[in-house]
Structures are given as structure tokens and as C-alpha cells.
């Protein structure tokens, strides 16, 4: 697709959002110059971050650790029993959470089109997708590649912790660091995601690997980790930071749950979950929604403004669309 065509497509399609937040969108006010501590604190304690993207994952990881995780003493040897238990648990969580979000928003359309970004529906009878169905295709990549690779990273770390091969911290040793790590992981994950995502848009890697994810221009919860296995391996490699940073197994569980369900949540296609007309839970991420439509912008996430620093930030305005529609990659998968 030529640059002119892409610009025309971008400006034409920009008019076709069903809904979008107030424009221009902004990055989280954490790394601003001069520093804005009051704004940063308001953002941190907001429903959008603490209430929807931090506390729910801390709670889920603690629930998994205490209620649904094999005894660490079993993990000293790589045996099928405990590995299978983790795999089955992860698959059940995937089916439960992504399935529930999909059915609520796209299956039974319980929120209609309120705060829904795209006017278009998920792909049906589309030859680009396995069995010509976007949801079945996305479920297949997520469950047959995503869940096994998620489990593989988790199993490797649990084996490492059980054998004393990894730097470890406990609540009793260092409660402040124990809590701080939960807060720091999403920021590290944003940096890591930018670092692996930008090269995935190099022509060869895009065509052979990343195009699988980008066939999803209209996105739903099952699109979140609908990726090629190579991309899954790169994406989950964010947890390798725990090879050097003293952590507890529950931090690794949190990190992986954040990677998986943060993506499921942010690809839901809706900005918020509404209850009686009020936004009670933040879901979608217009920052990344713009990446799925325009491809060559917003490679990271809005927690750390790497795209702003490196010139690829799309704030949703027509001016930004004109400035950024210079990609060499066509949307075809
Ligand atoms: Zn995506
Ligand atoms: Zn991409």
C-alpha cells in the first residue's frame, strides 16, 4: 500500500470509530518533565491503573499462589504431575476470563456499542482466519501456543526457585521490596514490550511472525495473546528480569498473569465496563487500539512514554495520523 493510500485510509477510517476517548490521548503522567507528582499520584490511585490493572492482578496472583498452585517442594524435579496441574489451571483461567469477557461484550453484547471503539464486528467468514472465524482462530493461537508457552516459563521459574537457583526475596525478609516489585513490574513490562515489539515490525519478522497478531484489526479479548509461538516466547521473556532481580514465585505468577490477562483486557475493544451507566472498571486501551489500526505507531504502552520520546506516538488526532502514516508494512497477514 502506498503512503498516499495509507494516509487516505487512515484519515477515512479515523472517521469511523464508533467511540473514542477525548483526543488527544495522553501518556500516564509519571515520566513528565518537569515532574508532576500530584497528577502522577492521581493517575496511580485511579480506577484506570490501581483499580483495574494493578490490584486485580495482585489479588489474582495471590489467589493462584495460595489456592491453586502445586507445593513448591514438588517442583524440584521436572515431573508431569505438577507441570500438568499448572497447565490445566492456566488453561482454565484463560477459558474463564477471556471467554467471559468475549461472551459479555461480543457474544451477548450486554453493553451494546457503548464505549466500544470499533464500529465493525469481529471477523466472520473471513478467509484470513482459521475456519474463517476470527474468534476460533484467536482461541486456537491463545490456547494451543499461548497457554503452553506461558506454562513453560512458569514451570522453568518454579523449578529454579525450588532448587535455589534464583535470587529470591520473601515477605518476611523485605516487605517493602515485596510490595514495590508488584508496582514496578508493569513499568518494566512496558519497556520490554516496546523493545521486542519494534523489531517485530521489521519486514521479515513482521511477515513471518507478527502478522498473525495483526490480522486482528478489529480486536476482542481473544485477540490479546493470539500470537505466533515466536512472539509468545519473546513476549513472555519479560519475566527473565527475575533471573537477576530478587523476587518471590508469586511475583513471577503476577508478571505472567499481567502479561496474559492485561493483553486480554486491553484488547477487549471497549474502553470500560459500565454499571448503571458509570464506568466501574477500565478495560480497553485506545493507545494500543490505534496500533492495531495504524500499525506503525504506539509500539509500547502508555505507562512509559517511549513512543513519545522516539517519535512514534499517535495521540488519536488526524494530524498525528497524517504525520505517522508512513509505514512500509501493509495490513495483510
Ligand atoms: Zn495487540
Ligand atoms: Zn505490532
Amino acid at each position: 500500500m502506498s503512503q498516499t493510500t495509507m494516509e487516505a485510509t487512515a484519515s477515512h477510517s479515523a472517521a469511523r470509530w464508533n467511540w473514542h476517548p477525548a483526543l488527544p490521548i495522553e501518556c500516564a503522567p509519571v515520566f513528565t518533565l518537569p515532574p508532576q507528582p500530584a497528577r502522577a499520584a492521581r493517575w496511580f490511585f485511579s480506577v484506570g491503573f490501581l483499580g483495574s490493572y494493578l490490584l486485580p492482578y495482585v489479588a489474582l496472583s495471590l489467589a493462584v499462589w495460595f489456592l491453586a498452585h502445586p507445593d513448591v517442594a514438588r517442583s524440584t524435579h521436572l515431573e508431569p504431575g505438577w507441570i500438568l496441574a499448572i497447565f490445566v489451571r492456566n488453561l482454565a483461567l484463560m477459558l474463564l476470563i477471556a471467554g467471559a469477557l468475549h461472551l459479555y461484550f461480543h457474544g451477548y453484547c450486554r453493553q451494546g456499542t457503548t464505549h466500544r471503539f470499533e464500529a465493525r464486528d469481529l471477523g466472520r467468514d473471513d478467509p484470513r482466519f482459521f475456519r474463517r472465524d476470527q474468534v476460533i482462530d484467536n482461541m486456537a493461537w491463545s490456547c494451543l501456543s499461548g497457554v503452553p508457552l506461558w506454562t513453560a516459563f512458569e514451570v522453568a521459574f518454579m523449578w529454579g526457585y525450588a532448587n535455589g537457583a534464583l535470587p529470591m526475596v520473601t515477605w518476611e525478609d523485605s516487605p517493602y521490596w515485596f510490595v514495590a516489585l508488584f508496582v514496578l513490574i508493569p513499568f518494566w513490562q512496558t519497556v520490554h514490550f516496546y523493545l521486542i515489539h519494534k523489531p517485530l515490525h521489521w519486514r521479515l519478522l513482521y511477515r513471518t511472525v507478527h502478522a498473525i497478531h495483526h490480522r486482528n484489526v478489529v480486536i476482542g479479548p481473544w485477540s490479546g495473546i493470539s500470537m505466533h509461538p515466536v512472539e509468545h516466547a519473546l513476549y513472555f521473556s519479560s519475566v527473565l528480569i527475575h533471573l537477576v532481580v530478587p523476587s518471590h514465585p508469586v511475583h513471577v505468577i503476577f508478571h505472567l498473569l499481567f502479561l496474559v490477562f492485561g493483553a486480554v483486557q486491553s484488547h477487549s475493544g471497549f474502553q470500560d465496563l459500565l454499571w448503571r451507566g458509570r464506568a466501574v472498571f477500565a478495560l480497553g486501551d485506545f493507545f494500543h487500539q490505534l496500533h492495531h489500526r495504524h500499525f506503525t505507531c504506539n509500539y509500547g504502552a502508555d505507562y512509559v512514554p517511549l513512543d513519545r520520546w522516539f517519535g512514534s506516538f499517535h495521540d488519536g488526532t488526524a494530524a498525528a495520523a497524517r504525520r505517522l502514516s508512513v509505514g512500509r508494512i501493509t495490513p495483510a497477514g
Side-chain angles (χ1 to χ4, degrees):
M1 190 183 290
S2 71
Q3 180 178 332
T4 311
T5 311
M6 284 193 77
E7 284 176 355
T9 304
S11 58
H12 175 64
S13 59
R16 287 193 283 113
W17 291 112
N18 172 66
W19 182 90
H20 58 70
L23 303 178
I25 58 167
E26 295 183 358
C27 294
V30 179
F31 296 95
T32 50
L33 280 176
Q36 298 178 299
R39 269 189 77 210
R42 272 200 303 279
W43 171 83
F44 180 87
F45 289 105
S46 68
V47 170
F49 181 64
L50 188 73
S52 300
Y53 274 95
L54 190 59
L55 287 184
Y57 290 99
V58 172
L60 183 60
S61 55
L62 291 173
V64 163
W65 173 248
F66 286 114
L67 304 175
H69 194 76
D71 187 349
V72 175
R74 291 173 65 193
S75 306
T76 49
H77 295 90
L78 294 172
E79 290 167 346
W82 67 273
I83 294 172
L84 199 60
I86 291 178
F87 174 75
V88 170
R89 184 204 66 207
N90 289 347
L91 185 60
L93 283 172
M94 191 72 210
L95 292 168
L96 193 70
I97 296 174
L101 283 172
H102 172 76
L103 288 175
Y104 187 85
F105 286 103
H106 298 275
Y108 297 113
C109 303
R110 297 301 296 266
Q111 197 167 297
T113 57
T114 311
H115 285 199
R116 175 177 164 165
F117 298 128
E118 279 282 356
R120 295 168 286 180
D121 288 327
L122 296 168
R124 286 256 175 93
D125 197 23
D126 186 332
R128 290 178 306 164
F129 296 111
F130 174 57
R131 296 184 68 86
R132 304 175 74 90
D133 187 300
Q134 185 180 358
V135 177
I136 292 175
D137 174 282
N138 287 183
M139 288 179 73
W141 287 106
S142 299
C143 295
L144 300 179
S145 172
V147 174
L149 278 156
W150 161 21
T151 304
F153 274 91
E154 187 170 339
V155 163
F157 271 90
M158 295 309 135
W159 177 85
Y161 284 119
N163 286 286
L166 296 171
M168 190 164 162
V169 69
T170 64
W171 168 261
E172 291 77 17
D173 293 338
S174 183
Y176 293 118
W177 176 245
F178 199 95
V179 171
L181 206 45
F182 285 118
V183 176
L184 293 173
I185 285 169
F187 293 96
W188 158 249
Q189 192 268 324
T190 296
V191 175
H192 175 270
F193 181 55
Y194 180 90
L195 292 175
I196 60 130
H197 191 185
K198 197 81 194 283
L200 282 169
H201 277 261
W202 295 345
R203 187 177 292 272
L204 183 62
L205 274 174
Y206 183 85
R207 287 188 171 166
T208 55
V209 174
H210 194 42
I212 293 288
H213 185 65
H214 268 293
R215 290 175 309 166
N216 304 295
V217 176
V218 179
I219 53 178
W222 282 108
S223 311
I225 63 158
S226 177
M227 302 170 181
H228 188 283
V230 170
E231 184 170 352
H232 280 133
L234 290 168
Y235 184 65
F236 292 132
S237 71
S238 177
V239 297
L240 297 181
I241 191 81
H242 302 286
L243 292 175
V244 292
V245 173
S247 314
H248 186 274
V250 78
H251 291 120
V252 175
I253 292 171
F254 166 84
H255 199 150
L256 287 163
L257 288 170
F258 185 82
L259 282 164
V260 172
F261 295 111
V264 167
Q265 184 176 348
S266 69
H267 285 73
S268 65
F270 286 74
Q271 172 82 9
D272 309 285
L273 172 68
L274 301 177
W275 182 255
R276 295 181 176 175
R278 286 173 58 94
V280 292
F281 196 80
L283 293 163
D285 177 359
F286 196 61
F287 183 99
H288 191 65
Q289 191 88 26
L290 284 160
H291 178 71
H292 273 271
R293 185 179 281 194
H294 296 290
F295 300 90
T296 51
C297 61
N298 297 2
Y299 296 99
D302 60 358
Y303 297 162
V304 185
L306 290 162
D307 285 284
R308 187 188 287 280
W309 295 338
F310 295 110
S312 52
F313 177 50
H314 191 330
D315 61 12
T317 61
R322 276 195 299 277
R323 180 172 60 83
L324 289 161
S325 293
V326 292
R328 293 176 295 280
I329 293 164
T330 64

